[in-house]
Amino acid sequence: MIDYRSWRHAFKLDPDKTIDDDALEAICESGTDAIIVGGTLGITFDNTLDLMARIRRYAVPTVLEVSNLQAVVPGFDSYLIPLVLNAGDPDWIFAPHVAGLTAYGSYIHWEEIFTEGYLVLNPESSVAKLTKARPVAGPDEAKAYGQTATKLLNLSMVYVEYSGTYGDPEVVRAIRKGAEGAHVFYGGGVKTVEQAKEMAAIADTVVVGNVIYEDLDAALATVGAVKG
Ligand code: 1GP
């Protein structure tokens, strides 16, 4: 069973993007606490299985963030199930979850499943467009989303998703406050040591994605920045 509460840093690898063996080794052996496999577009069973098998050469905990029912691959340490709190299209709230449980419900090891209260904050991101994410008006509303996740839904994980752009620390701080008691992930636009440190001071886990594919050394430097 994964111990996500101890994670300070995670890399997110996208099965739809290309990473060579040397770069993958550097990421997996970087000292990061976990690898999250996930993405929004172009995720298939085959590219997810292929990436999982390559990461499995290393000891790092590896989880799948499920975004596509056709790409649920057995063999990960755990499965993160996003529940998009600000989805403007209600079909993104429970319809995929019910479809998934209809298909796989009897095979699930529930101790491997974690639901993330997912708050989508970059309107330009693919996930925002796909889910028609409602804009979040400011820190007060952001805090209320945090409370919705923890106080109303009793979720123990909240994911602050700025995918592709660096977030507003005030908004992240407000969510952190509202989501008291939950484990808060921050992901989005972290490319520098300064950004990594800034978000690490607010969130429990800093997730680094895109920069892996743009500037591997910069990505690797975020590990030390977050973990000190
Ligand atoms: C994406 O939150 C992660 O789901 C990380 O975001 O790719 O912008 O680093 P970036």
Side-chain angles (χ1 to χ4, degrees):
M1 175 126 147
I2 58 164
D3 176 22
Y4 66 85
R5 292 230 178 231
S6 69
W7 297 353
R8 289 290 283 139
H9 181 283
F11 280 121
K12 193 181 272 191
L13 291 174
D14 186 335
D16 193 38
K17 291 186 178 159
T18 304
I19 184 164
D20 67 37
D21 286 342
D22 290 346
L24 187 68
E25 178 170 356
I27 289 293
C28 293
E29 304 275 45
S30 63
T32 189
D33 297 306
I35 306 289
I36 301 171
V37 172
T40 303
L41 304 174
I43 310 299
T44 66
F45 189 91
D46 288 350
N47 62 20
T48 303
L49 176 62
D50 180 64
L51 183 57
M52 182 190 75
R54 292 174 66 210
I55 298 168
R56 281 302 196 201
R57 295 179 207 151
Y58 308 97
V60 63
T62 307
V63 300
L64 178 65
E65 187 171 70
V66 176
S67 62
N68 175 344
L69 289 179
Q70 275 69 54
V72 181
V73 173
F76 284 88
D77 292 312
S78 279
Y79 296 82
L80 307 183
I81 312 295
L83 180 63
V84 180
L85 300 170
N86 61 329
D89 178 349
D91 268 3
W92 281 101
I93 301 181
F94 283 127
H97 306 74
V98 171
L101 293 181
T102 305
Y104 306 116
S106 38
Y107 309 106
I108 291 174
H109 297 184
W110 287 102
E111 70 281 4
E112 296 174 355
I113 305 290
F114 297 91
T115 306
E116 306 169 300
Y118 218 78
L119 192 57
V120 175
L121 289 148
N122 174 12
E124 301 307 318
S125 62
S126 305
V127 61
K129 289 180 179 155
L130 190 69
T131 61
K132 300 192 170 57
R134 289 171 182 271
V136 175
D140 290 348
E141 199 172 294
K143 182 181 172 194
Y145 272 111
Q147 290 175 318
T148 300
T150 54
K151 307 285 189 209
L152 300 185
L153 298 175
N154 217 11
L155 299 178
S156 52
M157 262 187 201
V158 171
Y159 196 112
V160 182
E161 174 64 294
Y162 271 97
S163 180
T165 191
Y166 188 65
D168 177 348
E170 276 316 302
V171 169
V172 183
R173 210 169 277 121
I175 298 165
R176 162 73 285 173
K177 213 165 174 195
E180 199 189 345
H183 190 87
V184 174
F185 291 84
Y186 170 82
V190 172
K191 293 180 193 285
T192 67
V193 162
E194 291 70 30
Q195 291 170 332
K197 282 187 174 157
E198 183 172 47
M199 287 305 175
I202 307 170
D204 297 306
T205 306
V206 175
V207 182
V208 175
N210 274 315
V211 71
I212 298 166
Y213 304 95
E214 296 160 3
D215 182 346
L216 181 64
D217 289 339
L220 294 170
T222 64
V223 180
V226 168
K227 300 188 68 175

